[in-house]
Amino acid sequence: MRPPLLAIVLPCYNESAIITSTVERLQQLLNDYVAQSLIAAESYLLFVDDGSRDNTLELLRQHKSAQVKTLKLSANCGHQSALLAGMHFVTGKCDCMISMDADLQDDINCTKAMLEAYLRGAQLVYGVRQSRGNDTWFKRKTALWFYGLMHKLGVNLVYNHADFRLLSNQVLHEFGRYREVNLFLRGIFPRMGFTNATVYYDRQDRTAGETKYPFRKMLNLAVNGITSFSNVPLKIITYVGFLVFIGSLLASFWVIFVILTGRNAPGWASITLPIYFLGGVQLLALGILGEYISRIYLETKQRPVYHIEEVIE
């Protein structure tokens, strides 16, 4: 049995401070695996330049070879779209692929365990963090709340798993059948149901550059995940509306009772507070509905989420 042809897909944006080190380390990793007959000699790295504004692309051009390929996107599309572009590109051009971030905070040595799981029959291998000890308190808590919320909303996620994973070519082909514009990758793969395995690792500290995933982007990712996989927020609107109706009905009976007993006293609180409460509920409901409608709007247009300007190989 011949060793599998491996493609490692790495989205990158403004990573000039670390990209050369990343290329060299991963090239050495591929060479070691080839020497161990773990992967085929034709295995390669695919960097997806997500519209970098520094000299990341120029540095990648210097490493152009059969082992190092680059997709240049025409504009910055976001991490998930860049990853999607790489996955689509390698489909049918490898036996399996591993996705990871270009900063190599994901432990590259765990790729050996991923490949071994693949050779044992796993079609999908998740890289899962053992702990979040090097995260800030805020990031640890928000991650915990996010996974807990998604679980309560009925979304099947792998806890502490991001985008460090191995996919077989079969999984890639099946994934290509998903035509959604708002793809939440972390929720898609667990629902596909292929034979899977888990590899645990400790996330490394970034050696250079700065994170490209600030709180705003993480929040957008969370909202996208919720609206892509759960209609529970829409049901909550119905429940809240019903409760407000019951509350208003009871308040009406109370007002009638007060008037009949002659104990009513004029005051702004009895008018202002219900207006504020009902107005807040209505605005919240409109906001949630707006999120879902905006997703429908984007889906109906079916616009591509990325454009490849150049393939460097």
Side-chain angles (χ1 to χ4, degrees):
M1 180 179 177
R2 70 173 182 85
L5 196 161
L6 170 68
I8 299 181
V9 176
L10 304 102
C12 50
Y13 175 69
N14 291 349
E15 296 287 5
S16 60
I18 199 174
I19 200 67
T20 298
S21 172
T22 297
V23 173
E24 292 173 350
R25 289 178 62 189
L26 288 177
Q27 278 188 299
Q28 184 60 52
L29 186 78
L30 290 183
N31 293 335
D32 290 344
Y33 288 171
V34 170
Q36 298 171 33
S37 297
L38 195 60
I39 60 174
E42 298 80 16
S43 299
Y44 58 93
L45 311 173
L46 178 70
F47 290 88
V48 184
D49 181 63
D50 188 22
S52 295
R53 298 180 180 180
D54 59 7
N55 64 333
T56 297
L57 183 63
E58 286 68 30
L59 293 172
L60 287 171
R61 286 185 190 278
Q62 296 174 16
H63 293 279
K64 181 183 76 169
S65 67
Q67 198 178 49
V68 181
K69 309 174 190 293
T70 302
L71 289 187
K72 180 185 183 303
L73 302 188
S74 59
N76 178 245
C77 303
H79 178 273
Q80 296 292 285
S81 295
L83 178 56
L84 190 64
M87 292 167 61
H88 286 163
F89 184 83
V90 303
T91 301
K93 301 175 183 176
C94 64
D95 295 313
C96 60
M97 65 144 278
I98 293 176
S99 61
M100 64 176 67
D101 293 338
D103 56 20
L104 296 191
Q105 286 187 268
D106 299 320
D107 187 0
I108 63 174
N109 295 315
C110 285
T111 55
K112 184 173 183 178
M114 288 181 164
L115 287 165
E116 290 171 344
Y118 166 75
L119 293 173
R120 290 193 299 268
Q123 300 280 0
L124 199 161
V125 185
Y126 300 107
V128 175
R129 296 175 62 173
Q130 295 191 96
S131 67
R132 288 182 170 268
N134 54 351
D135 285 348
T136 62
W137 177 89
F138 178 76
K139 193 168 184 178
R140 286 197 304 272
K141 287 298 182 183
T142 51
L144 182 64
W145 293 336
F146 171 69
Y147 284 108
L149 175 62
M150 294 296 279
H151 178 72
K152 290 179 180 178
L153 293 178
V155 184
N156 183 21
L157 289 184
V158 178
Y159 184 70
N160 274 344
H161 166 68
D163 293 305
F164 186 31
R165 65 178 72 92
L166 179 146
L167 305 175
S168 71
N169 191 50
Q170 182 181 357
V171 174
L172 286 171
H173 273 292
E174 288 299 308
F175 175 73
R177 297 172 57 196
Y178 285 80
R179 301 299 181 186
E180 303 166 36
V181 173
N182 298 292
L183 273 174
F184 182 59
L185 299 179
R186 301 178 193 185
I188 289 287
F189 295 113
R191 77 178 300 275
M192 290 179 72
F194 285 92
T195 304
N196 62 78
T198 300
V199 171
Y200 294 94
Y201 72 100
D202 290 316
R203 190 165 170 83
Q204 311 298 309
D205 292 328
R206 175 182 271 268
T207 58
E210 57 183 22
T211 179
K212 306 304 184 300
Y213 244 92
F215 177 73
R216 175 180 58 82
K217 289 188 177 181
M218 289 191 292
L219 182 61
N220 288 338
L221 183 66
V223 172
N224 187 39
I226 292 170
T227 55
S228 295
F229 278 87
S230 178
N231 63 351
V232 172
L234 294 175
K235 293 181 180 180
I236 290 175
I237 292 176
T238 304
Y239 299 148
V240 170
F242 179 74
L243 290 175
V244 170
F245 168 74
I246 296 298
S248 300
L249 194 63
L250 294 174
S252 299
F253 290 143
W254 178 78
V255 169
I256 293 172
F257 172 76
V258 168
I259 292 175
L260 291 177
T261 56
R263 291 185 293 175
N264 58 309
W268 65 270
S270 60
I271 299 175
T272 306
L273 293 180
I275 291 175
Y276 283 163
F277 175 71
L278 292 174
V281 170
Q282 289 172 344
L283 288 174
L284 175 63
L286 286 173
I288 294 174
L289 285 171
E291 279 294 327
Y292 280 92
I293 292 172
S294 69
R295 307 291 169 175
I296 297 171
Y297 174 64
L298 292 173
E299 293 294 338
T300 56
K301 291 192 293 184
Q302 287 292 298
R303 290 180 179 175
V305 296
Y306 62 85
H307 296 280
I308 298 175
E309 182 175 330
E310 185 182 0
V311 179
I312 304 167
E313 54 183 349

